[in-house]
Amino acid sequence: MSHEPEARTCDLVVVGSGASGLTTAVTAAFLGLDVVVLEKEPQLGGTSAWSGGWMWIPRNPLATESGFVEDVDAPRRYLRAELGEAYDDALATIFLEQGPRMVRFLRDRLGLAFIAGAGIPDFHWTSDGAGFGNRSVCSAPFDGSRLGKEIARLKPPLDQIAPFGMGIASGADMAHFLNATRKTQSFVHVAWRILAHWRDVALHGRGLHLVNGNALVAQLFRAALDSGVTLETESPVCDLLMEGRAVTGVVADTPGGRRSYRARRGVVLAAGGFPHDTGRKARMFAHAPTGREHWSAAPRANTGDGLRLGETAGGEVRADLSNAGAWAPVSLAPKGGGDFGTFPHLVERAKPGLIMVTNKSARFANEADSYHDLMQALFAATPPGEKPEAWMICDHPFQRRYGLGRARPRPYPIRNWIANGYLKRAARIEDLARACGLDPVRLSQTVADYNRDAVQGRDPQFGRGESAYNKVQGDPETSPNPCVGPVATGPFYAVKVVAGSLGTFAGLWTDGHARVLDADRAPIPGLFAVGNDMSSMMGGRYPAGGITLGPGMTFAYVAAHSASGVPLDNNKT
Ligand SMILES: Cc1cc2nc3c(=O)[nH]c(=O)nc-3n(C[C@H](O)[C@H](O)[C@H](O)COP(=O)(O)OP(=O)(O)OC[C@H]3O[C@@H](n4cnc5c(N)ncnc54)[C@H](O)[C@@H]3O)c2cc1C
């Protein structure tokens, strides 16, 4: 006798519970659909729950309500300038129109709270139409107790960047943490945050003051529970149900056994791209010929299942993007037992007193530029056949003030990181070079060359600290240049960085309704892709922070409308 669970019939199945999957789910539920979200992992949230939670949404309601009103032509020109041949006017138009509506819907209809990115500039200030702020929003901090016992099913923040599981929000919160040993007000803020965190851990097993992407997912999770969405964890989808060309449901390996889910309105793939699909990485990442030369900071469960499922139904993964991933420099921080964490270097690179060099001891980029730009520069500087690796080099005041990767700033001790070989330390630059396997003479020369201008706050080689984006990433207390200072006071430190990513860009070919297209570019009935399963509308470019979550959630909102048959210009959402 079979003990397989009975098939479940619903309107819409969503595969994956990141921000894109959950946005699809709550929007579709609001539009009247019976929605089932199937999540592979024991906890919801995927990469989204580890992210900064910033969404690039030009003309978002928070900006316009604060009086910042810009014509749609400005972000459109920026996209056109940035994306070049990859610019798709149809997708850009839908994104620019529906992005603000998506935010307004989540806020006004479902009660999510956001904060404005008033001072966050786009990455490339000299491009036509570049913005200098007000084009992004982030989740407001969220009280995790509002999830009740369900908080056990929320993925905690990324351990690499959240000390003891405590997320630190970008902006003022982060500034307080960096100044905690220098300013009374910051010390009080941090002491209070830490006390509250440990109180929550003692009473509830984890911190409840949620910030960044963790708060974003928590808010969507709350909305999903309130909307009657069924959320099933530990249930990886392994197959699609098809009738002719149409997708009519999925098969998942649930804790109760293999189960079919029939979906009257279709299936939405939201499984977070392929950051840990070794085979596809080998095929699509030029720097990773075996697929194992790339270390993504995204969760290991994101193994490209959505893309494979889409292909079984006739979908195609786009191979024409300029970059198949959202590159980021990462370091491999030992965790014990041979395991390691992938630390994404997103913050400290732009602070004064650090440089990055190749294995030839040469600087190769403006270290304060975006993670994606920096990695492209490293790829370009790496001779064919060699691994794209680099070293971050800083001095003692820098390490103690800002931290270097996993070796956090004062008052955190660093001896374990030195002992396990993650952090190299030496009294002189020449000895540091030897510890890293670099040429001592060349590294000393590189540091001396950099320092000569750095003492005056200048970087003639790469123009570090000149762009608006560089400036906000730097240290406002350092003048004349918030990003430039000499590497001068020993002991000196180094951490090795390798090629990594925040996620992948190449995904299933879709149209502006988020419908997956087949080889003839015809929509496959009943199949949608959102988030990183949908090929990025940015075509491999990275014009601004938040360009994965912003379009990801916008096309999730669009997909929910497509699946429910409600036009986007309705008055309901
Ligand atoms: C440290 C860090 C910071 C970042 N900050 C930002 C930021 O501020 N702004 C921004 O735009 N982007 C940011 N990113 C990138 C961003 O987080 C991702 O691009 C985005 O979260 C992807 O969302 P998603 O919904 O497509 O996938 P995910 O959030 O990864 O969700 C996919 C889910 O699908 C599940 N899944 C996989 N396979 C299956 C299966 N077979 N069946 C069922 N479920 C499955 C996974 O377990 C996962 O839970 C950051 C990334 C990192 C690592």
Side-chain angles (χ1 to χ4, degrees):
M1 201 171 78
S2 164
H3 292 288
E4 278 192 10
E6 264 181 48
R8 157 90 147 89
T9 300
C10 62
D11 292 321
L12 194 67
V13 167
V14 178
V15 183
S17 67
S20 307
L22 290 179
T23 300
T24 313
V26 297
T27 311
F30 183 86
L31 293 171
L33 300 195
D34 173 16
V35 184
V36 175
V37 175
L38 296 170
E39 167 56 48
K40 182 178 190 175
E41 294 210 86
Q43 290 169 313
L44 304 167
T47 325
S48 307
W50 285 358
S51 75
W54 285 97
M55 293 147 254
W56 194 67
I57 306 284
R59 306 165 76 239
N60 65 73
L62 282 78
T64 49
E65 288 160 17
S66 75
F68 182 84
V69 181
E70 67 175 335
D71 193 272
V72 69
D73 190 46
R76 189 194 298 283
R77 280 190 287 117
Y78 184 60
L79 284 176
R80 204 177 265 131
E82 286 282 298
L83 309 191
E85 283 181 4
Y87 176 80
D88 179 327
D89 195 54
L91 286 186
T93 299
I94 294 172
F95 167 64
L96 292 171
E97 279 174 2
Q98 300 305 323
R101 296 194 63 201
M102 178 273 293
V103 174
R104 193 173 292 115
F105 162 72
L106 291 177
R107 188 190 64 174
D108 297 351
R109 301 278 195 245
L110 301 185
L112 275 71
F114 296 99
I115 54 173
I120 301 179
D122 293 339
F123 284 168
H124 303 130
W125 67 328
T126 53
S127 288
D128 184 29
F132 293 82
N134 290 299
R135 284 186 178 171
S136 48
V137 296
C138 185
S139 170
F142 182 73
D143 176 2
S145 69
R146 289 181 52 199
L147 285 173
K149 288 196 167 47
E150 285 283 14
I151 194 161
R153 289 210 293 164
L154 173 72
K155 199 179 188 68
L158 176 57
D159 59 355
Q160 296 299 300
I161 52 180
F164 309 108
M166 178 177 54
I168 300 174
S170 48
D173 198 28
M174 172 74 82
H176 280 310
F177 273 86
L178 288 178
N179 287 314
T181 55
R182 302 168 67 238
K183 294 182 181 172
T184 312
Q185 196 195 0
S186 294
F187 175 79
V188 172
H189 173 93
V190 170
W192 177 246
R193 285 273 274 112
I194 291 173
L195 279 175
H197 178 74
W198 285 113
R199 180 203 59 205
D200 292 343
V201 172
L203 294 175
H204 308 282
R206 63 183 286 169
L208 295 180
H209 179 75
L210 310 182
V211 297
N212 304 340
N214 213 248
L216 176 66
V217 170
Q219 292 205 74
L220 289 165
F221 187 4
R222 181 67 262 168
L225 294 169
D226 294 341
S227 315
V229 171
T230 303
L231 298 153
E232 298 191 8
T233 42
E234 295 180 90
S235 300
V237 170
C238 53
D239 223 339
L240 294 178
L241 300 172
M242 310 266 312
E243 283 174 25
R245 280 186 70 242
V247 174
T248 55
V250 303
V251 179
D253 284 319
T254 73
R258 188 157 280 203
R259 188 176 190 194
S260 297
Y261 294 78
R262 300 202 170 277
R264 287 180 283 257
R265 298 285 189 151
V267 171
V268 182
L269 301 172
F274 65 100
H276 295 285
D277 178 344
T278 310
R280 202 181 295 275
K281 282 192 291 182
R283 293 197 295 282
M284 302 199 80
F285 294 179
H287 64 273
T290 73
R292 277 181 278 275
E293 301 82 356
H294 180 92
W295 290 267
S296 181
R300 291 179 186 172
N302 287 21
T303 50
D305 300 359
L307 272 48
R308 273 194 300 279
L309 290 166
E311 285 173 330
T312 63
E316 287 206 341
V317 174
R318 288 187 74 149
D320 59 343
L321 277 64
S322 53
N323 294 279
W327 313 132
V330 304
S331 54
L332 305 179
K335 279 182 163 181
D339 197 10
F340 58 84
T342 36
F343 182 96
H345 292 267
L346 306 179
V347 176
E348 89 276 52
R349 281 179 294 108
K351 309 289 188 220
L354 167 145
I355 58 169
M356 291 180 74
V357 299
T358 62
N359 281 333
K360 300 274 182 296
S361 301
R363 283 181 74 209
F364 58 94
N366 173 344
E367 297 88 350
D369 274 351
S370 83
Y371 26 93
H372 192 64
D373 290 349
L374 182 98
M375 285 310 297
Q376 287 184 83
L378 180 59
F379 294 149
T382 305
E386 289 185 20
K387 287 184 189 163
E389 294 173 348
W391 291 89
M392 306 183 89
I393 311 273
C394 73
D395 65 6
H396 187 71
F398 182 101
Q399 199 291 322
R400 295 284 67 201
R401 171 98 175 80
Y402 309 111
L404 186 63
R406 197 65 176 75
R408 295 202 167 99
R410 189 182 292 118
Y412 289 95
I414 54 173
R415 50 181 180 276
N416 281 353
W417 298 109
I418 294 171
N420 67 22
Y422 173 78
L423 185 67
K424 311 286 183 202
R425 178 169 68 178
R428 298 181 323 134
I429 288 288
E430 289 82 351
D431 297 328
L432 187 72
R434 284 186 197 96
C436 301
L438 301 174
D439 183 312
V441 177
R442 275 202 222 145
L443 186 63
S444 305
Q445 191 60 51
T446 297
V447 172
D449 288 348
Y450 167 77
N451 281 349
R452 205 168 27 251
D453 295 298
V455 288
Q456 292 160 22
R458 296 189 321 117
D459 175 24
Q461 196 179 1
F462 291 107
R464 180 168 160 160
E466 286 173 15
S467 75
Y469 173 71
N470 278 191
K471 284 188 170 71
V472 297
Q473 296 287 108
D475 182 344
E477 292 182 19
T478 300
S479 69
N481 187 331
C483 302
V484 174
V487 182
T489 312
F492 300 97
Y493 299 87
V495 161
K496 181 177 170 176
V497 299
V498 294
S501 63
L502 302 182
T504 48
F505 280 151
L508 291 162
W509 205 307
T510 61
D511 65 8
H513 303 282
R515 299 179 298 190
V516 177
L517 303 178
D518 66 14
D520 299 323
R521 306 290 166 257
I524 299 168
L527 190 62
F528 304 86
V530 298
N532 291 356
D533 280 355
M534 169 184 183
S535 201
S536 168
M537 62 166 278
M538 303 296 166
R541 314 269 176 196
Y542 214 127
I547 56 86
T548 54
L549 286 173
M553 292 171 64
T554 301
F555 284 101
Y557 171 82
V558 169
H561 284 80
S562 311
S564 52
V566 176
L568 280 165
D569 57 3
N570 68 83
N571 292 326
K572 290 175 79 178
T573 54

